Amino acid sequence: MLRQLAVSIATLIALSHSPLARAEAWFEVEVYIFERQSQSTEQWPMAPIETKTNRAIDLISPVVGQAVVSMSNESAPCTLVYDADANSHCAESTSTGTNTDATTEMSNGDALAISGPSTASSNAVTSYRYPSVIPSEIGSSSQAYASQGSGPVLLASSQGQFASIINSLSRERGNRSLLHMTWQQPMTGKSGSVPIRLFAGKDYSASYHFDGRQIVQQAMASSMQGDNGTTGMMTEASAPLMPSPVWQLDGTLNIYLSHYLYIETALNLRKEGRKLMPVAADEASINAAATSTAAAPAKVMTPYLMSIPLEQNRRVKSDEIHYLDHPEMGMVIQIRKMAQPNA
Protein backbone atom coordinates (compact mmCIF):
# COMPACT_ATOMS: atom_id res chain seq x y z
CA MET A 1 0.00 0.00 0.00
CA LEU A 2 2.76 2.43 0.94
CA ARG A 3 4.65 1.44 -2.19
CA GLN A 4 1.65 2.22 -4.41
CA LEU A 5 1.17 5.57 -2.65
CA ALA A 6 4.84 6.44 -3.22
CA VAL A 7 4.55 5.57 -6.92
CA SER A 8 1.41 7.74 -7.26
CA ILE A 9 3.11 10.71 -5.59
CA ALA A 10 6.18 10.34 -7.84
CA THR A 11 3.93 10.22 -10.92
CA LEU A 12 2.10 13.39 -9.89
CA ILE A 13 5.40 15.20 -9.28
CA ALA A 14 6.69 14.13 -12.70
CA LEU A 15 3.51 15.32 -14.42
CA SER A 16 3.63 18.66 -12.62
CA HIS A 17 7.10 19.27 -14.09
CA SER A 18 6.10 18.12 -17.56
CA PRO A 19 5.91 20.86 -20.24
CA LEU A 20 2.48 19.55 -21.21
CA ALA A 21 1.21 20.04 -17.68
CA ARG A 22 2.32 23.65 -17.43
CA ALA A 23 -0.21 25.86 -19.15
CA GLU A 24 1.35 28.84 -20.85
CA ALA A 25 0.16 32.14 -19.41
CA TRP A 26 -1.35 34.48 -22.01
CA PHE A 27 -2.22 38.13 -21.63
CA GLU A 28 -3.76 40.84 -23.75
CA VAL A 29 -1.74 44.07 -23.87
CA GLU A 30 -3.07 47.50 -24.85
CA VAL A 31 -0.76 50.50 -25.16
CA TYR A 32 -1.40 54.18 -25.86
CA ILE A 33 1.49 56.64 -26.21
CA PHE A 34 1.07 60.36 -26.70
CA GLU A 35 3.34 63.38 -27.01
CA ARG A 36 2.81 66.38 -24.79
CA GLN A 37 3.98 69.98 -25.07
CA SER A 38 5.94 71.07 -22.03
CA GLN A 39 8.26 73.83 -20.93
CA SER A 40 10.73 71.44 -19.32
CA THR A 41 14.32 72.69 -19.07
CA GLU A 42 15.71 69.22 -18.40
CA GLN A 43 18.91 68.35 -20.27
CA TRP A 44 18.45 65.16 -22.28
CA PRO A 45 21.25 62.71 -23.26
CA MET A 46 23.47 63.61 -26.20
CA ALA A 47 22.70 60.34 -28.02
CA PRO A 48 19.64 58.04 -28.19
CA ILE A 49 19.49 55.30 -25.58
CA GLU A 50 20.25 51.77 -26.77
CA THR A 51 17.05 49.97 -27.74
CA LYS A 52 18.18 46.68 -29.42
CA THR A 53 15.30 46.74 -31.87
CA ASN A 54 17.02 44.13 -34.05
CA ARG A 55 15.89 41.28 -31.77
CA ALA A 56 12.42 42.64 -31.04
CA ILE A 57 9.15 41.35 -32.50
CA ASP A 58 7.77 43.81 -35.07
CA LEU A 59 3.96 43.83 -35.29
CA ILE A 60 3.76 47.25 -36.95
CA SER A 61 5.74 46.90 -40.20
CA PRO A 62 3.43 44.28 -41.78
CA VAL A 63 0.51 46.70 -41.24
CA VAL A 64 1.95 50.07 -42.29
CA GLY A 65 4.75 49.03 -44.64
CA GLN A 66 4.88 47.38 -48.03
CA ALA A 67 6.94 44.19 -47.80
CA VAL A 68 9.32 43.28 -50.61
CA VAL A 69 11.41 40.12 -50.51
CA SER A 70 14.51 40.10 -52.70
CA MET A 71 15.47 36.59 -53.77
CA SER A 72 18.57 35.34 -55.51
CA ASN A 73 17.55 32.51 -57.81
CA GLU A 74 19.69 31.78 -60.86
CA SER A 75 16.96 29.88 -62.71
CA ALA A 76 14.23 32.47 -62.12
CA PRO A 77 15.32 35.85 -60.77
CA CYS A 78 12.44 37.26 -58.84
CA THR A 79 11.56 40.00 -56.37
CA LEU A 80 8.57 38.84 -54.34
CA VAL A 81 6.10 41.58 -53.49
CA TYR A 82 3.51 40.91 -50.78
CA ASP A 83 0.16 42.64 -50.93
CA ALA A 84 -2.19 43.46 -48.07
CA ASP A 85 -3.64 39.92 -48.09
CA ALA A 86 -0.17 38.32 -47.79
CA ASN A 87 -0.34 37.05 -51.38
CA SER A 88 3.00 37.20 -53.17
CA HIS A 89 3.92 37.76 -56.80
CA CYS A 90 7.04 38.57 -58.75
CA ALA A 91 7.63 42.25 -59.38
CA GLU A 92 8.10 43.25 -62.99
CA SER A 93 11.72 43.64 -64.03
CA THR A 94 12.95 47.03 -65.15
CA SER A 95 15.19 45.51 -67.80
CA THR A 96 15.31 42.25 -69.70
CA GLY A 97 17.03 39.42 -67.90
CA THR A 98 17.55 41.26 -64.63
CA ASN A 99 15.36 41.64 -61.63
CA THR A 100 14.88 44.79 -59.59
CA ASP A 101 16.34 44.43 -56.12
CA ALA A 102 14.60 45.80 -53.06
CA THR A 103 16.76 48.90 -52.80
CA THR A 104 16.19 49.92 -56.41
CA GLU A 105 12.47 49.30 -56.31
CA MET A 106 11.99 51.37 -53.19
CA SER A 107 14.06 54.42 -54.14
CA ASN A 108 10.96 56.57 -54.68
CA GLY A 109 11.22 58.83 -51.64
CA ASP A 110 9.73 56.46 -49.08
CA ALA A 111 11.78 55.11 -46.19
CA LEU A 112 13.28 51.64 -46.54
CA ALA A 113 14.19 49.24 -43.76
CA ILE A 114 15.74 45.78 -44.00
CA SER A 115 14.33 43.29 -41.52
CA GLY A 116 16.68 40.40 -42.22
CA PRO A 117 16.58 37.00 -43.95
CA SER A 118 13.20 35.68 -44.96
CA THR A 119 12.02 32.17 -44.13
CA ALA A 120 11.16 31.64 -47.79
CA SER A 121 14.81 31.28 -48.79
CA SER A 122 18.22 31.46 -47.16
CA ASN A 123 19.14 34.11 -49.75
CA ALA A 124 15.98 36.17 -49.32
CA VAL A 125 15.83 39.47 -47.47
CA THR A 126 12.55 41.13 -46.47
CA SER A 127 12.42 44.90 -46.82
CA TYR A 128 9.70 47.38 -45.96
CA ARG A 129 8.80 50.62 -47.64
CA TYR A 130 7.17 53.05 -45.21
CA PRO A 131 5.15 56.23 -45.56
CA SER A 132 6.75 59.43 -44.30
CA VAL A 133 4.34 59.45 -41.32
CA ILE A 134 3.03 56.39 -39.46
CA PRO A 135 -0.67 56.50 -38.46
CA SER A 136 -1.20 56.53 -34.71
CA GLU A 137 -3.87 53.79 -34.79
CA ILE A 138 -2.32 50.38 -35.51
CA GLY A 139 -4.48 47.27 -35.86
CA SER A 140 -5.15 44.24 -38.03
CA SER A 141 -7.67 44.54 -40.86
CA SER A 142 -10.10 42.20 -39.08
CA GLN A 143 -10.57 40.78 -35.61
CA ALA A 144 -7.75 38.42 -34.68
CA TYR A 145 -7.07 35.91 -31.92
CA ALA A 146 -3.97 34.09 -30.81
CA SER A 147 -3.62 30.35 -31.24
CA GLN A 148 -1.81 27.87 -29.05
CA GLY A 149 1.88 27.70 -29.88
CA SER A 150 1.92 31.00 -31.77
CA GLY A 151 3.74 34.17 -30.88
CA PRO A 152 2.29 37.64 -30.26
CA VAL A 153 -0.74 38.49 -32.43
CA LEU A 154 -1.83 42.02 -33.33
CA LEU A 155 -5.54 42.66 -32.74
CA ALA A 156 -7.95 44.92 -34.59
CA SER A 157 -8.50 48.45 -33.30
CA SER A 158 -12.09 47.51 -32.42
CA GLN A 159 -10.78 44.96 -29.90
CA GLY A 160 -9.15 47.66 -27.78
CA GLN A 161 -10.72 49.20 -24.67
CA PHE A 162 -9.01 52.60 -24.48
CA ALA A 163 -11.46 54.63 -26.58
CA SER A 164 -12.70 56.78 -23.69
CA ILE A 165 -9.18 57.23 -22.28
CA ILE A 166 -7.84 58.34 -25.66
CA ASN A 167 -10.71 60.77 -26.18
CA SER A 168 -10.14 62.28 -22.76
CA LEU A 169 -6.37 62.69 -23.17
CA SER A 170 -6.70 63.98 -26.74
CA ARG A 171 -8.90 66.83 -25.56
CA GLU A 172 -6.16 68.11 -23.27
CA ARG A 173 -4.27 71.00 -24.79
CA GLY A 174 -0.83 70.13 -26.13
CA ASN A 175 -1.38 66.35 -26.30
CA ARG A 176 -0.95 64.53 -29.61
CA SER A 177 -1.48 60.82 -30.20
CA LEU A 178 1.54 58.83 -31.33
CA LEU A 179 0.62 55.16 -31.05
CA HIS A 180 -2.30 52.98 -30.00
CA MET A 181 -2.27 49.20 -30.47
CA THR A 182 -3.49 45.99 -28.81
CA TRP A 183 -2.03 42.51 -29.03
CA GLN A 184 -2.08 39.09 -27.35
CA GLN A 185 1.12 37.37 -26.27
CA PRO A 186 2.40 34.52 -24.08
CA MET A 187 4.32 35.57 -20.98
CA THR A 188 7.59 33.99 -19.91
CA GLY A 189 10.31 34.74 -17.42
CA LYS A 190 12.78 37.54 -18.02
CA SER A 191 15.44 35.31 -19.54
CA GLY A 192 13.04 33.98 -22.19
CA SER A 193 11.15 37.21 -22.91
CA VAL A 194 11.36 38.94 -26.29
CA PRO A 195 10.52 42.67 -26.49
CA ILE A 196 7.92 44.18 -28.80
CA ARG A 197 9.13 46.84 -31.25
CA LEU A 198 7.23 50.13 -31.05
CA PHE A 199 7.67 52.97 -33.53
CA ALA A 200 5.42 55.78 -34.70
CA GLY A 201 5.16 59.33 -35.95
CA LYS A 202 7.30 61.09 -38.53
CA ASP A 203 10.38 59.74 -40.28
CA TYR A 204 13.24 62.24 -39.96
CA SER A 205 15.80 60.31 -42.04
CA ALA A 206 15.62 62.83 -44.91
CA SER A 207 16.81 65.66 -42.66
CA TYR A 208 18.74 64.10 -39.76
CA HIS A 209 21.14 61.29 -39.02
CA PHE A 210 20.17 58.78 -36.32
CA ASP A 211 22.58 60.44 -33.86
CA GLY A 212 20.74 63.75 -34.29
CA ARG A 213 23.12 65.62 -36.60
CA GLN A 214 21.52 67.51 -39.44
CA ILE A 215 22.08 66.13 -42.94
CA VAL A 216 23.87 68.70 -45.06
CA GLN A 217 22.14 68.65 -48.42
CA GLN A 218 24.68 68.59 -51.21
CA ALA A 219 23.70 70.18 -54.50
CA MET A 220 23.68 67.43 -57.12
CA ALA A 221 23.98 68.22 -60.81
CA SER A 222 21.45 66.56 -63.05
CA SER A 223 24.22 65.54 -65.40
CA MET A 224 27.92 64.85 -65.19
CA GLN A 225 30.85 65.30 -67.56
CA GLY A 226 32.04 62.13 -69.27
CA ASP A 227 35.64 61.23 -70.14
CA ASN A 228 35.00 61.89 -73.79
CA GLY A 229 33.73 65.39 -73.14
CA THR A 230 30.05 64.48 -73.51
CA THR A 231 27.50 64.99 -70.77
CA GLY A 232 25.86 61.82 -69.46
CA MET A 233 23.10 61.23 -66.96
CA MET A 234 23.99 59.85 -63.52
CA THR A 235 23.81 56.06 -63.56
CA GLU A 236 21.42 54.15 -61.34
CA ALA A 237 24.35 52.42 -59.62
CA SER A 238 25.66 55.77 -58.40
CA ALA A 239 22.34 56.74 -56.79
CA PRO A 240 22.56 56.74 -52.98
CA LEU A 241 20.83 54.01 -51.00
CA MET A 242 17.75 54.88 -48.99
CA PRO A 243 18.64 55.49 -45.32
CA SER A 244 17.03 53.58 -42.49
CA PRO A 245 14.04 55.42 -40.98
CA VAL A 246 14.61 57.72 -38.01
CA TRP A 247 11.21 57.56 -36.35
CA GLN A 248 9.77 60.21 -34.08
CA LEU A 249 9.08 57.43 -31.54
CA ASP A 250 11.16 54.28 -31.59
CA GLY A 251 12.19 51.57 -29.16
CA THR A 252 10.99 48.48 -27.36
CA LEU A 253 8.52 47.36 -24.71
CA ASN A 254 9.41 44.18 -22.84
CA ILE A 255 6.90 42.43 -20.57
CA TYR A 256 7.77 39.35 -18.53
CA LEU A 257 6.30 37.28 -15.71
CA SER A 258 8.17 36.55 -12.49
CA HIS A 259 5.52 35.99 -9.81
CA TYR A 260 4.45 39.51 -10.78
CA LEU A 261 4.24 41.22 -14.15
CA TYR A 262 7.09 43.57 -15.07
CA ILE A 263 7.33 46.05 -17.91
CA GLU A 264 10.55 47.52 -19.27
CA THR A 265 10.47 50.45 -21.66
CA ALA A 266 13.38 51.63 -23.82
CA LEU A 267 11.92 54.34 -26.04
CA ASN A 268 13.34 57.42 -27.74
CA LEU A 269 11.16 60.40 -28.61
CA ARG A 270 12.78 62.64 -31.21
CA LYS A 271 12.12 66.38 -31.31
CA GLU A 272 13.60 69.04 -33.55
CA GLY A 273 15.61 71.68 -31.76
CA ARG A 274 18.86 73.60 -31.91
CA LYS A 275 22.21 72.84 -30.41
CA LEU A 276 25.60 74.52 -30.17
CA MET A 277 27.73 72.61 -32.69
CA PRO A 278 31.23 73.14 -34.17
CA VAL A 279 31.35 74.84 -37.55
CA ALA A 280 31.78 72.50 -40.51
CA ALA A 281 35.37 71.61 -41.38
CA ASP A 282 35.51 73.69 -44.54
CA GLU A 283 34.09 76.76 -42.79
CA ALA A 284 36.45 76.31 -39.85
CA SER A 285 39.47 76.20 -42.15
CA ILE A 286 38.32 79.38 -43.85
CA ASN A 287 37.93 81.12 -40.49
CA ALA A 288 41.35 79.89 -39.34
CA ALA A 289 42.99 81.15 -42.50
CA ALA A 290 41.31 84.52 -42.13
CA THR A 291 42.44 85.01 -38.53
CA SER A 292 45.78 83.21 -38.86
CA THR A 293 45.39 81.78 -35.38
CA ALA A 294 45.13 78.28 -33.98
CA ALA A 295 42.00 79.01 -32.00
CA ALA A 296 39.44 76.29 -31.34
CA PRO A 297 36.79 75.84 -34.07
CA ALA A 298 33.90 78.21 -33.70
CA LYS A 299 30.52 76.90 -32.61
CA VAL A 300 27.13 77.99 -33.86
CA MET A 301 23.54 77.10 -33.04
CA THR A 302 22.62 74.34 -35.48
CA PRO A 303 19.38 72.41 -36.08
CA TYR A 304 19.56 69.15 -34.14
CA LEU A 305 17.22 66.19 -33.58
CA MET A 306 16.94 65.77 -29.82
CA SER A 307 16.51 62.33 -28.21
CA ILE A 308 14.21 62.19 -25.20
CA PRO A 309 14.31 58.81 -23.43
CA LEU A 310 11.50 56.93 -21.72
CA GLU A 311 13.38 54.21 -19.88
CA GLN A 312 11.58 52.58 -16.97
CA ASN A 313 11.26 49.23 -15.23
CA ARG A 314 8.06 48.83 -13.25
CA ARG A 315 6.18 46.05 -11.52
CA VAL A 316 2.49 46.10 -12.40
CA LYS A 317 -0.70 44.18 -11.69
CA SER A 318 -2.79 42.55 -14.36
CA ASP A 319 -6.09 44.20 -15.37
CA GLU A 320 -5.06 47.51 -13.79
CA ILE A 321 -4.54 50.57 -16.01
CA HIS A 322 -1.08 52.02 -15.44
CA TYR A 323 0.26 55.40 -16.49
CA LEU A 324 3.95 56.06 -17.12
CA ASP A 325 4.55 59.76 -16.70
CA HIS A 326 7.19 61.82 -18.47
CA PRO A 327 7.71 65.55 -19.08
CA GLU A 328 7.46 65.14 -22.87
CA MET A 329 5.20 62.11 -23.34
CA GLY A 330 2.95 59.66 -21.56
CA MET A 331 2.17 55.95 -21.83
CA VAL A 332 -1.05 54.25 -20.75
CA ILE A 333 -0.81 50.46 -20.57
CA GLN A 334 -3.07 47.64 -19.42
CA ILE A 335 -2.17 43.94 -19.30
CA ARG A 336 -5.37 41.90 -19.17
CA LYS A 337 -5.77 38.26 -18.23
CA MET A 338 -7.12 36.06 -21.00
CA ALA A 339 -8.03 32.43 -21.47
CA GLN A 340 -5.56 29.96 -22.88
CA PRO A 341 -5.90 30.18 -26.70
CA ASN A 342 -7.17 27.19 -28.64
CA ALA A 343 -4.98 25.10 -30.87
Side-chain angles (χ1 to χ4, degrees), residues 238-259:
S238 63
L241 297 177
M242 292 297 298
S244 297
V246 179
W247 296 115
Q248 183 177 359
L249 176 74
D250 199 355
T252 59
L253 170 65
N254 189 32
I255 307 174
Y256 60 91
L257 187 62
S258 180
H259 298 294

Side-chain angles (χ1 to χ4, degrees), residues 271-277 300-306:
K271 278 192 174 183
E272 290 184 286
R274 301 184 70 84
K275 182 179 177 181
L276 197 62
M277 300 281 289
V300 296
M301 293 301 295
T302 307
Y304 192 81
L305 190 63
M306 304 293 181

Side-chain angles (χ1 to χ4, degrees), residues 224-236:
M224 61 183 181
Q225 192 73 14
D227 295 336
N228 57 358
T230 61
T231 301
M233 298 302 293
M234 185 173 62
T235 61
E236 183 179 357

Side-chain angles (χ1 to χ4, degrees), residues 103-307:
T103 303
T104 304
E105 180 161 339
M106 294 184 188
S107 58
N108 65 348
D110 290 336
L112 172 68
I114 307 299
S115 63
S118 169
T119 55
S121 170
S122 59
N123 297 325
V125 175
T126 302
S127 309
Y128 286 98
R129 182 175 59 190
Y130 298 100
S132 58
V133 179
I134 297 295
S136 60
E137 192 70 36
I138 303 296
S140 61
S141 56
S142 59
Q143 289 196 353
Y145 300 93
S147 59
Q148 189 176 6
S150 70
V153 175
L154 180 67
L155 306 187
S157 298
S158 60
Q159 293 176 269
Q161 302 178 16
F162 280 3
S164 60
I165 295 176
I166 294 174
N167 290 336
S168 177
L169 290 173
S170 299
R171 286 195 297 267
E172 294 185 13
R173 186 177 180 180
N175 289 352
R176 191 177 71 84
S177 297
L178 286 174
L179 179 64
H180 175 226
M181 58 188 295
T182 308
W183 67 89
Q184 295 176 347
Q185 71 170 90
M187 293 296 175
T188 63
K190 184 175 182 179
S191 60
S193 63
V194 179
I196 301 294
R197 171 83 182 278
L198 303 180
F199 62 93
K202 180 182 178 181
D203 174 25
Y204 288 103
S205 61
S207 304
Y208 297 93
H209 297 284
F210 181 78
D211 61 6
R213 293 176 296 113
Q214 185 184 30
I215 296 176
V216 179
Q217 301 293 342
Q218 300 289 343
M220 298 181 65
S222 59
S223 60
M224 61 183 181
Q225 192 73 14
D227 295 336
N228 57 358
T230 61
T231 301
M233 298 302 293
M234 185 173 62
T235 61
E236 183 179 357
S238 63
L241 297 177
M242 292 297 298
S244 297
V246 179
W247 296 115
Q248 183 177 359
L249 176 74
D250 199 355
T252 59
L253 170 65
N254 189 32
I255 307 174
Y256 60 91
L257 187 62
S258 180
H259 298 294
Y260 296 95
L261 285 167
Y262 291 86
I263 57 176
E264 294 179 339
T265 61
L267 297 167
N268 287 300
L269 177 67
R270 316 303 294 270
K271 278 192 174 183
E272 290 184 286
R274 301 184 70 84
K275 182 179 177 181
L276 197 62
M277 300 281 289
V279 180
D282 54 346
E283 298 179 9
S285 60
I286 294 174
N287 294 337
T291 58
S292 300
T293 61
K299 293 184 177 182
V300 296
M301 293 301 295
T302 307
Y304 192 81
L305 190 63
M306 304 293 181
S307 296

